[in-house]
Amino acid sequence: MQEYSFELPFPSRVSQAMESAALHHFRWVQEHGLLSQESLPEYRRWNVPEVAARFWPHAGGVDLELGVDIAGWFILFDDQFDGPLGVEPHRVARIVQELIDVVYARPGAVPAVPNKSLTPAASGLISLWSRQVRGMSAAWQQRSTRNWEDFLNAYTSESINRQSGIIPDVSTYLSLRHKAGLENVLIDYAERIGHYEVPDALFALPEIQEMHNATVQVVNIVQDVFSVAKEEARGDCHNLVLVLQHHRNYSRGEALAEARSIVRGHTDEFLRLKARLPALFDAAALPPRDRGIAYVFVDDLQAQMKGCHDWCRSSSRYSRVIRARPDEPTYLEEMRLEGLGR
């Protein structure tokens, strides 16, 4: 277990359906070529199903299976950029464009891939996207498509920074990190897995937007703190702790304390806004059904903040310090991300 922790004022909860979802997930990653049988024992020790069970503690069945699959897909895909690929922007741009094409295509459709076979990442995303949009409105699908596109394009932006030796300042980094962490997509998943949609007018309320953004920042900063050894070992600047040390000349302890302070500011503001919601809804004469949806959504945001923290503290993915040269990959195994024949 990691020694560092945050005091997040939210309850810890875990879905009781985690074990059955895990059985599905370990088959799924192999069926789509995301992981081989040989790497499965180490991957099991990362306990990826737990992060989904904490993010969506009320989910079960096929809904939780979807949550576990997106968590695993992201982790396995994201690790591929920890090696030499992460400093090759032109290759990265080609890879992510194939995946962007998936979320802009008809759900379940296979993108046009002449002269090459579908990659495991694309195959997995087709499975995820077709299940993610099931039963959701066109407007919701468009919102999530934009979040997917922003997330995927961030890989190219990060690779440009690495290749150019650019260490973004704190504000620039947090803006990029807001897109790069997948959390916007995972918040969309809360609606899909919970079988509800936040009405557009409610979603657009400044208070709801601020709570949404606070959740994204908290999840991203918590992950940065727990993964700082991993990024530092590879010489990767994309971590808030390292950015604070570089641009503000902080010691490691000072940077960690600042990260903790930023998170505390976001959670304090989240709770302040949450306390204002009843009066806000009264003033807007919000219908009871919409109020109920709003409170479910807020509860899901809390679960994701706390769930991320609790999983990061316990997963061996973060508890082991990876010592590798910047040119050495740290993934479990290399995934084919480009089609055959390139």
Side-chain angles (χ1 to χ4, degrees), residues 39-266:
S39 296
L40 195 57
E42 175 63 19
Y43 182 64
R44 286 178 183 273
R45 284 190 283 274
W46 291 6
N47 206 11
V48 173
E50 182 186 317
V51 69
R54 289 186 178 278
F55 266 48
W56 303 289
H58 300 301
V62 295
D63 294 322
L64 187 59
E65 289 174 3
L66 174 60
V68 178
D69 289 347
I70 180 57
W73 182 93
F74 165 63
I75 288 170
L76 294 171
F77 176 73
D78 185 70
D79 281 357
Q80 299 300 306
F81 300 87
D82 287 351
L85 175 62
V87 293
E88 299 184 52
H90 294 296
R91 284 185 65 202
V92 172
R94 288 198 303 268
I95 289 166
V96 301
Q97 186 57 54
E98 179 179 348
L99 301 178
I100 290 170
D101 290 344
V102 169
V103 297
Y104 273 97
R106 177 176 53 82
V110 177
V113 284
N115 302 320
K116 63 177 182 174
S117 62
L118 201 64
T119 66
S123 175
L125 183 55
I126 289 169
S127 169
L128 291 169
W129 181 244
S130 63
R131 290 181 286 158
Q132 178 188 337
V133 301
R134 193 171 298 157
M136 306 304 284
S137 70
W140 183 92
Q141 293 181 35
Q142 290 169 5
R143 187 216 314 160
S144 195
T145 295
R146 291 192 298 271
N147 286 334
W148 269 108
E149 183 175 24
D150 286 345
F151 157 70
L152 291 165
N153 278 329
Y155 281 105
T156 305
S157 298
E158 290 184 341
S159 67
I160 291 171
N161 287 344
R162 294 189 195 101
Q163 185 190 59
S164 305
I166 296 172
I167 302 178
D169 61 36
V170 175
S171 177
T172 302
Y173 171 72
L174 288 175
S175 178
L176 175 60
R177 187 71 170 92
H178 199 276
K179 299 176 180 179
L182 191 68
E183 179 57 17
N184 286 294
V185 171
L186 295 179
I187 291 175
D188 294 338
Y189 264 69
E191 294 173 82
R192 162 58 184 86
I193 289 175
H195 297 280
Y196 67 90
E197 288 189 29
V198 179
D200 290 343
L202 179 61
F203 193 82
L205 287 175
E207 291 81 0
I208 295 296
Q209 280 295 298
E210 288 180 41
M211 296 173 80
H212 182 292
N213 292 336
T215 300
V216 174
Q217 293 288 358
V218 168
V219 168
N220 289 340
I221 294 170
V222 165
Q223 287 180 331
D224 275 7
V225 166
F226 286 111
S227 68
V228 64
K230 183 169 178 280
E231 270 91 49
E232 186 175 44
R234 293 183 291 103
D236 190 350
C237 66
H238 294 100
N239 185 290
L240 178 62
V241 176
L242 301 178
V243 168
L244 287 167
Q245 288 186 250
H246 178 83
H247 284 288
R248 297 185 181 174
N249 295 315
Y250 283 173
S251 67
R252 175 59 56 85
E254 290 170 334
L256 289 170
E258 178 68 6
R260 182 194 288 269
S261 176
I262 294 171
V263 166
R264 178 62 180 267
H266 284 307

